[in-house]
Amino acid sequence: MWDMVSAEEYIRLNTLDNEDFLDADETRKTALLNVSKRTLDRKFTGKEIPDEAVYLFAATLGAAFNDTNKLQQQGIAGFSIKGISFTFKDWAKRPVDHLIPEEVYDLVGVARGRSIKWTVL
């Protein structure tokens, strides 16, 4: 399975938005790593996915699907608790693979976006 010590150390030392991953229990961390790996494997078919890329994306998923942001992913427009209000933008809900950080593309060795094809007229 996952070497959780290596994953936690890498995420702690190489990401800024890491609290949601690091504060999670072992089951949640494993789920974040599994979804990260599965999504990257599907996105980058045939490419070797380094563990570091999985770790970076898992930390991003942890933040994107924390207790508050998870509501946005489920389509909630807004909510308030004891005078604190949260409003989500309609355009902010996107498929999971849209959350892949640029650094992950670099680690996998794939350019982000569409490639340019030159033609001669």
Side-chain angles (χ1 to χ4, degrees):
M1 206 72 215
W2 294 106
D3 178 354
M4 205 58 72
V5 172
S6 295
E8 289 173 359
E9 180 179 359
Y10 188 88
I11 289 169
R12 182 177 291 106
L13 298 175
N14 293 284
T15 63
L16 296 175
D17 193 2
N18 56 26
E19 294 83 10
D20 292 301
F21 183 90
L22 296 174
D23 292 343
D25 62 28
E26 291 293 311
T27 302
R28 177 73 174 168
K29 288 176 185 175
T30 300
L32 289 166
L33 290 165
N34 288 341
V35 171
S36 174
K37 176 72 168 134
R38 187 171 57 245
T39 303
L40 295 176
D41 282 342
R42 187 173 53 250
K43 179 76 174 178
F44 304 113
T45 304
K47 292 282 190 178
E48 182 68 28
I49 308 298
D51 285 345
E52 293 82 3
V54 176
Y55 301 159
L56 287 172
F57 189 39
T60 300
L61 291 175
F65 289 92
N66 67 19
D67 290 340
T68 302
N69 292 333
K70 182 170 36 175
L71 295 172
Q72 174 187 0
Q73 294 294 329
Q74 295 170 346
I76 303 296
F79 68 96
S80 64
I81 302 172
K82 295 185 180 186
I84 298 172
S85 178
F86 295 86
T87 303
F88 301 117
K89 304 286 185 197
D90 289 342
W91 51 263
K93 185 178 182 215
R94 297 188 172 230
V96 174
D97 65 339
H98 281 75
L99 299 171
I100 299 172
E102 189 71 34
E103 191 173 0
V104 170
Y105 282 83
D106 294 341
L107 287 168
V108 175
V110 173
R112 185 174 203 140
R114 298 188 175 136
S115 61
I116 298 173
K117 293 183 181 180
W118 297 97
T119 60
V120 178
L121 298 176

